[in-house]
Amino acid sequence: NNVAQELPPITSYSSVDYKGGNQSWAITQADNNYLYVANNEGLLEYNGENWNTYPSPNGTILRCVLARNGKIYTGNYMDFGYWERNIKGTLDYYSLGKTVYDEMIEDEHFWNIKAIGDWVLFQSLNRIYIYNNQKKTISHINTSGIVNMFKIDDSIYFQDVKEGVFKITNGVSEKFDALDSLMDNRIINIFSKNDEFLILTETNGFFKHNKEGITKWEIPADK
């Protein structure tokens, strides 16, 4: 018997529909299933029926967004912070970056946000700012330049362009020497399964890391 294959419904929204800029950078879903999008003109909110647009706090492009525990964290040019719903049902913005503005690098943009435990991490091209939700403190990690930041199981990892891969534990980074043999590769993503890392590089395909070390995962897609 032939079984019909049905395509899932796809709805396309134009910038006129969502009332924002024509370029978006990241998307996240909150606990209430609302969608939030980091957009050129600000934060887009979609409840499944209607779109709301919240202008960027300082008029610059929002490049990253993460919904967590009732807050919507965003990062943009020279600022990062969170949005929280007020008694009117709309979102108010609270800047965290303003408390460390004088310490920021000139023209610093924020590109990535990860959360783990009491920590929320905001990544620029050369630093990771670490916000502790409980203590309301912010510290930062300096690097030679960050390729990417990954959340794997209960840990945060990042690749320094000169030094290799680091692991962040309780707000402190330490070298993850196990991946030193991949230092010449730009790591695009890392996945974890069955006590093994699967590492995707930009130009050399996949590698596996386990207790036996690093091995190449040879697959037809490599070429």
Side-chain angles (χ1 to χ4, degrees), residues 45-56:
E45 177 187 62
Y46 183 56
N47 64 8
E49 185 174 354
N50 299 308
W51 290 91
N52 285 319
T53 304
Y54 293 92
S56 169

Side-chain angles (χ1 to χ4, degrees), residues 51-146:
W51 290 91
N52 285 319
T53 304
Y54 293 92
S56 169
N58 61 7
T60 63
I61 296 171
L62 260 62
R63 299 190 188 274
C64 50
V65 61
L66 178 69
R68 182 175 173 86
N69 297 334
K71 294 184 173 69
I72 313 300
Y73 294 93
T74 57
N76 49 315
Y77 172 77
M78 297 297 287
D79 193 23
F80 56 89
Y82 63 88
W83 306 73
E84 203 165 31
R85 201 165 302 283
N86 58 36
I87 58 174
K88 297 179 182 178
T90 58
L91 296 177
D92 290 330
Y93 178 73
Y94 300 89
S95 173
L96 297 171
K98 69 179 182 181
T99 64
V100 291
Y101 183 84
D102 292 340
E103 303 171 30
M104 284 188 188
I105 302 170
E106 186 177 359
D107 293 333
E108 197 161 15
H109 291 261
F110 292 90
W111 294 89
N112 198 354
I113 305 172
K114 300 293 182 188
I116 186 166
D118 294 335
W119 311 89
V120 181
L121 297 88
F122 301 85
Q123 177 220 317
S124 69
L125 293 179
N126 292 92
R127 282 181 175 175
I128 297 175
Y129 290 79
I130 304 175
Y131 173 62
N132 187 302
N133 263 314
Q134 297 301 315
K135 298 179 181 179
K136 310 300 181 187
T137 57
I138 301 176
S139 59
H140 68 259
I141 297 170
N142 288 316
T143 75
S144 304
I146 300 173

Side-chain angles (χ1 to χ4, degrees), residues 9-15 17-18 51:
I10 297 174
T11 304
S12 177
Y13 298 100
S14 72
S15 57
D17 296 321
Y18 58 72
W51 290 91

Side-chain angles (χ1 to χ4, degrees), residues 155-170:
S155 298
I156 301 290
Y157 296 78
F158 69 91
Q159 184 183 16
D160 184 300
V161 293
K162 292 183 179 179
E163 304 296 331
V165 176
F166 287 75
K167 179 180 180 180
I168 300 176
T169 304
N170 293 326

